[in-house]
Amino acid sequence: GACCSYRLRDALHPLWQSPLTIPGGTRQSPINIQWRDSVYDPFLKPLKISYDPTTCLHIWNNGYSFLVEFDDSADRSIIVGGPLENQYRLKQFHFHWGAINEWGSEHTVDSKFYPAELHLVHWNAVVYPTFEEAVMEGNGLAVIGVFLKLGAHHEGLQTLVDALPAVKHKDTVIEFDVFDPSCLIPSCPDYWTYAGSLTTPPLTESVTWIIKKKPIEVDENQLEAFRMLLFTSDGEEEKRMVDNFRPLQPLMNRTVRSSFQ
Ligand code: SG5
Ligand code: ZN
């Protein structure tokens, strides 16, 4: 599955025809999280999430995924704690998903793919003046990853799903004010954390990854709504937005820490 989708995805989307690795990279993402190789760290704090629903601005199909973007001009939607030394500001969230349910997530757990993965992207506004500067620095970004599995209908996600037909084509944006993405984060506090990179260009090694252990459940119709989006602009030959994930990268000299025993 993984090998086929990799080839298919490259053929589908020009973005990933650019080199899939960066020379000299030592902390690239995503990775396979091998549960028994992760190391319990009793000093890891619980992650505290505090989002202000009114900082939500719009949904944008950027031709790689759909992004829900937030006003990050002040410390209004933030996370603190976990592996982080200070607070980080929410910039946007987006998803990666497959053409079918057998794959789609970027990270895997014990080599198991989930059908989709949510990424909430935050930046270190305490240390860096802008998001663009934070993207270039080792402690610049913190991304929360949440796996989506097939199961019950997700009420919180449906608000988003209902808006997707309006951003079907690449380069379309709609207003989407008032949304609290903490409804998409499982309440179970357990997570894994490791030092990694962005999974799209510029692939910079600036991300503290926080991967939630427990997935959220979504139903088949909700995943199908993701798969109705297009990589292409209005007027171009339609290409479905599916398999928008990067292949697994080598762990190299890294340890995945867990907040739980
Ligand atoms: C960065 O990484 C990119 C996002 C990209 C995620 O946040 O932003 C920049 O590099 C701007 C300097 O790209 C954009 O926001 C478009 C301008 O998000 C995507 O491309 C959506 C998949 C990727 O983050 S990730 O590592 O969590 N997957
Ligand atoms: Zn992502």
Side-chain angles (χ1 to χ4, degrees), residues 234-245:
D234 196 8
E236 289 181 337
E237 192 194 332
E238 293 195 353
K239 290 201 176 82
R240 290 288 177 87
M241 183 178 277
V242 292
D243 296 334
N244 56 354
F245 56 91

Side-chain angles (χ1 to χ4, degrees), residues 44-60:
L44 279 173
K45 298 182 201 88
L47 185 68
K48 290 207 185 95
I49 296 163
S50 162
Y51 295 150
D52 172 351
T54 67
T55 59
C56 192
L57 295 176
H58 44 249
I59 311 180
W60 173 33

Side-chain angles (χ1 to χ4, degrees), residues 65 92 94-96 106 117-121 143 198-200 209 244:
S65 181
Q92 51 108 327
H94 62 269
F95 298 81
H96 304 263
E106 295 210 299
E117 185 173 332
L118 160 66
H119 289 159
L120 298 124
V121 181
V143 182
L198 291 174
T199 66
T200 64
W209 281 95
N244 56 354

Side-chain angles (χ1 to χ4, degrees), residues 39-47 81-84 191 193 257-260:
V39 178
Y40 170 60
D41 182 347
F43 297 106
L44 279 173
K45 298 182 201 88
L47 185 68
L84 306 173
Y191 63 84
T193 184
R257 292 181 292 156
S258 66
S259 71
F260 57 92

Side-chain angles (χ1 to χ4, degrees), residues 9 46 51 75 79 81 87 93 100-101 142 169 181 187 211 235-236:
R9 197 270 329 280
Y51 295 150
D75 284 325
I79 56 169
Q87 64 189 33
F93 71 83
I100 60 169
N101 297 333
H169 292 98
S187 51
I211 308 287
E236 289 181 337

Side-chain angles (χ1 to χ4, degrees), residues 50-58 68-71 76-78 90 176-182:
S50 162
Y51 295 150
D52 172 351
T54 67
T55 59
C56 192
L57 295 176
H58 44 249
V68 181
E69 298 195 296
F70 291 75
D71 173 5
R76 292 171 63 201
S77 286
I78 57 155
L90 180 63
F176 192 69
D177 17 34
V178 194
F179 181 75
D180 184 351
S182 60

